[in-house]
Amino acid sequence: MEENISIFSFHYGDGKFAQKHRDLLKKHNHKQPLWNTEHGFGNYNDVIWEAVCDIANGVEKVFYFELYGRGHFGDVYMLDKPTYIPSAIMPMWMTLSQKINHSVCKETFDWSGVCQAFEFCSQDGGSTMVFRSRDKQSTGISLKTVNKQITFTDFLGRKHVLSPVNGWISLPSHNPGYLDISSDKITKTGPSMIVLPEKIEMMAGTLNVVQIKLFNPGDAPVAGNLVLKGSTDWPHASDSGSVTIPPGQAIEVQRKLEPGLELVGAGFRLDAILEIDGRQA
């Protein structure tokens, strides 16, 4: 049985130490594969991205064990404890790890100065593009592709089959996501087609105005319907209207929502959907 060298990444990740371990092994004429066997403490989106960077920098396999619970530290990660709750990111890592563990990082990309992306080639010949915004603040990225459809998996492991508009598709990039596509199918990148304010404050019991920026990276006008949705049980949970975006330009539009009273002291989610010829961006 082939031996492996186990490394750890608590408090340091992003592939920073993978090359140092590899160089040390090479110096002493060792060729064992590097496995990261304890990886998974902290913000789970950061942890996923650190695992991706480890594999891109020569680690063959990452074991991700982050679980989430409430209680004392010793109870948090124990499967047999009543406080155990699976981490929300686990479905994403379960699918992504099958694609990039034991794979080869073919190339690294800088998408429009906004996102870092890695192309991994699996043993069966498939390609996976994994990406995330560099500053963890940018909300999205636009890609131009020759494909008629793209399968995108978001940070919660949800798969979305998307149809490009004039060859362009817009994707969220604040958290890690991946595409089942090779880099040669992506011909151009640009800013996100939909940008929500970095900080949104909503007041219950009244209509709140949300300013949304729309960008058309293509060379032809785009006309469609922009929908902003909140929780389905809000008094005014959705607002929509038609939009036309000139080629290569951005416009700003407003949508109004009224949250329910239960919003006080709680978080909320908004979904901005641009519908164009029955397709969503």
Side-chain angles (χ1 to χ4, degrees):
M1 183 176 70
E2 185 181 36
E3 294 181 353
N4 66 78
I5 302 298
S6 178
I7 65 174
F8 308 91
S9 65
F10 284 115
H11 308 298
Y12 57 86
D14 293 348
K16 293 184 179 71
F17 286 85
Q19 189 59 51
K20 290 184 178 180
H21 283 95
R22 175 56 59 208
D23 291 342
L24 182 62
L25 289 172
K26 184 177 180 180
K27 178 181 178 180
H28 296 281
N29 297 317
H30 291 291
K31 298 181 179 180
Q32 291 94 330
L34 293 176
W35 286 8
N36 191 328
T37 56
E38 286 198 50
H39 190 92
F41 188 75
N43 176 281
Y44 51 68
N45 285 298
D46 292 344
V47 169
I48 289 291
W49 188 244
E50 290 173 1
V52 170
C53 292
D54 275 347
I55 295 175
N57 284 276
V59 173
E60 183 177 282
K61 187 173 183 177
V62 174
F63 293 79
Y64 178 73
F65 69 90
E66 162 120 338
L67 307 172
Y68 180 76
R70 299 181 178 90
H72 298 292
F73 181 81
D75 294 338
V76 170
Y77 300 108
M78 303 297 108
L79 290 171
D80 60 342
K81 300 291 185 179
T83 49
Y84 160 71
I85 302 174
S87 169
I89 202 72
M90 288 306 292
M92 194 272 201
W93 178 243
M94 290 170 66
T95 58
L96 179 60
S97 62
Q98 294 176 10
K99 292 177 174 291
I100 67 174
N101 272 337
H102 305 291
S103 68
V104 175
C105 182
K106 179 181 178 181
E107 197 168 350
T108 302
F109 298 88
D110 181 1
W111 284 348
S112 298
V114 174
C115 286
Q116 184 177 19
F118 298 105
E119 180 177 11
F120 294 96
C121 296
S122 62
Q123 295 178 349
D124 63 3
S127 291
T128 302
M129 299 290 303
V130 192
F131 62 94
R132 189 186 193 185
S133 64
R134 287 189 175 277
D135 57 9
K136 303 176 186 176
Q137 298 298 322
S138 301
T139 57
I141 188 78
S142 292
L143 306 176
K144 189 173 185 180
T145 176
V146 297
N147 285 19
K148 299 300 182 182
Q149 286 188 328
I150 288 182
T151 301
F152 165 64
T153 303
D154 65 22
F155 73 106
L156 292 177
R158 299 173 298 190
K159 286 189 178 292
H160 310 268
V161 179
L162 306 175
S163 300
V165 176
N166 297 330
W168 286 91
I169 202 76
S170 187
L171 301 166
S173 64
H174 178 76
N175 298 315
Y178 68 89
L179 300 166
D180 295 326
I181 190 174
S182 58
S183 59
D184 61 341
K185 303 297 183 183
I186 299 172
T187 59
K188 197 173 181 180
T189 64
S192 176
M193 295 174 68
I194 304 174
V195 180
L196 290 168
E198 186 175 334
K199 185 177 181 181
I200 301 176
E201 295 182 353
M202 304 284 283
M203 294 182 60
T206 185
L207 279 175
N208 294 257
V209 177
V210 180
Q211 196 85 3
I212 306 169
K213 184 177 180 180
L214 303 176
F215 175 69
N216 176 7
D219 53 9
V222 167
N225 185 54
L226 178 70
V227 184
L228 183 65
K229 294 182 178 181
S231 177
T232 55
D233 58 357
W234 286 4
H236 193 90
S238 178
D239 190 17
S240 64
S242 60
V243 294
T244 300
I245 316 170
Q249 296 186 35
I251 65 171
E252 292 194 4
V253 298
Q254 294 180 342
R255 295 293 181 263
K256 298 178 181 180
L257 300 178
E258 180 185 346
L261 295 176
E262 72 281 355
L263 178 71
V264 178
F268 60 90
R269 170 178 169 168
L270 299 180
D271 290 314
I273 303 169
L274 182 58
E275 299 173 336
I276 305 171
D277 298 329
R279 293 168 290 181
Q280 296 183 351

